[in-house]
Amino acid sequence: MHLSASGGVRWTAVPGIGVIGTSGITITTEHLTPSGEFADVVARFWSLRWTVHPGFERHASAVSLLDPDPLVVLNGKSLTCQGITRHRRTSSPRPGTGVIYAAALRPGVVARLLGGTAADHNDRCLPLSETAWGLSAHRVGADLHAAAARDGLAGFAVAFEQCLPTAPPLPADPEVARVGAMVDAIRDEGLTRVVELVDHFHLSARTIQRAFNRHMGVSPKWLLRRYRVLRGAYRLQYDPPRRSSELASALGYFDDSHFARDFADLLGSTPAVFAQRLQGSDLTGRQPVLAPTPVGVPGAAA
């Protein structure tokens, strides 16, 4: 997917990555699904490549609201692991060009790598050498950097999967699988309320709350709200409604004002302004896959 900005903030919703606003930057994104053997560890792989426009070296910026996934990120030769990023972030990319590669992790995995609980690591970032991988992280980082330099995202993905057997084993815990299934349902089936999780998975609201807090460090209500806003951004770009009230209703809001307030709170922009500043709806991107089924637009309405 290719997008550019030459003045002011230009928004785009990138499936499998999140929502990005740019000023003075051209960005290319790509994503891949993991092979089936590692689907319980990695949700997806993605890359983001940027070029700062001439004359914008001091003023280029990017605002991002990422999908709520823990990440292992390769930036140059730096390899880091982080929990869920709960807030939008503004950054100033260094002049010239650059690229980051990321592995989005499944629920429960980040605690295995970092120790402690998932909540301990949300909004935090650690060098992989300080995680449970320890000293072997230096070799892992070198392998990933070499593979990405040679073959881009596909090389990073293959090398990451080859490194996974050296990571600490994931303890058998059926609750982790249940949380993962609930996250998938929120993202892909468009669930909007905790009561829908209760009905869908035949669990009490209290049980669901405890499981999310333990394995994700956020509440199910928080995740539902995040995906409602992301889904709204995807709809505005890829399947814009004729009336804003239609979108609010489709996302499970009682009225347009509640949706607009949540949207502005998370993205810093009203849905109307966001729609006006979209790069366009004809962005198809490049989405080669390692497994047969590519990552689609999360929660996109038919």
Side-chain angles (χ1 to χ4, degrees), residues 2-301:
H2 180 79
L3 46 140
S4 61
S6 57
V9 175
R10 295 292 184 267
W11 294 101
T12 191
V14 186
I17 297 179
V19 177
I20 302 171
T22 59
S23 178
I25 310 170
T26 296
I27 290 178
T28 302
T29 66
E30 192 176 354
H31 66 261
L32 297 170
T33 55
S35 58
E37 181 183 356
F38 299 103
D40 61 337
V41 178
V42 180
R44 69 193 64 83
F45 297 101
W46 56 260
S47 67
L48 190 152
R49 187 180 303 273
W50 72 87
T51 301
V52 175
H53 294 183
F56 283 82
E57 288 81 2
R58 294 186 178 183
H59 306 290
S61 64
V63 181
S64 61
L65 186 73
L66 298 178
D67 277 21
D69 300 308
L71 301 172
V72 173
V73 177
L74 179 69
N75 186 354
K77 295 184 178 181
S78 172
L79 190 62
T80 57
C81 187
Q82 62 191 55
I84 292 171
T85 301
R86 291 177 292 183
H87 310 287
R88 69 178 181 271
R89 287 187 174 181
T90 301
S91 58
S92 299
R94 60 182 179 271
T97 63
V99 60
I100 61 173
Y101 299 94
L105 305 177
R106 298 287 292 168
V109 177
V110 70
R112 175 184 69 171
L113 293 178
L114 301 180
T117 67
D120 294 335
H121 307 294
N122 288 342
D123 299 313
R124 296 184 62 199
C125 183
L126 278 176
L128 202 68
S129 58
E130 297 180 20
T131 72
W133 246 321
L135 294 176
S136 65
H138 295 290
R139 178 181 56 78
V140 171
D143 290 345
L144 293 177
H145 178 74
R150 184 177 60 251
D151 297 316
L153 182 61
F156 171 82
V158 170
F160 189 88
E161 291 182 347
Q162 290 174 344
C163 292
L164 282 175
T166 70
L170 183 66
D173 188 344
E175 190 175 72
V176 173
R178 284 198 296 269
V179 171
M182 286 188 276
V183 171
D184 292 342
I186 292 170
R187 185 188 64 238
D188 300 329
E189 299 176 31
L191 303 190
T192 61
R193 295 185 178 88
V194 174
V195 68
E196 293 175 314
L197 288 173
V198 170
D199 293 341
H200 196 81
F201 290 94
H202 308 292
L203 298 169
S204 70
R206 185 174 180 82
T207 296
I208 293 171
Q209 175 81 32
R210 285 199 303 262
F212 269 73
N213 287 341
R214 179 184 176 193
H215 299 295
M216 296 195 70
V218 297
S219 70
K221 185 176 180 180
W222 180 93
L223 195 74
L224 287 159
R225 178 175 180 252
R226 178 67 159 261
Y227 270 119
R228 287 165 101 182
V229 169
L230 288 172
R231 194 175 300 119
Y234 296 138
R235 281 289 309 275
L236 286 170
Q237 177 158 319
Y238 297 99
D239 183 23
R242 283 174 288 185
R243 294 187 300 272
S244 59
S245 59
E246 292 179 9
L247 180 54
S249 177
L251 295 171
Y253 285 94
F254 291 111
D255 56 58
D256 200 23
S257 63
H258 283 84
F259 167 55
R261 186 162 54 246
D262 275 359
F263 197 96
D265 182 44
L266 289 180
L267 277 171
S269 168
T270 65
V273 171
F274 180 91
Q276 290 169 0
R277 294 182 176 179
L278 285 173
Q279 282 299 123
S281 59
D282 58 345
L283 301 174
T284 56
R286 294 182 298 145
Q287 299 178 5
V289 294
L290 298 179
T293 305
V295 176
V297 178

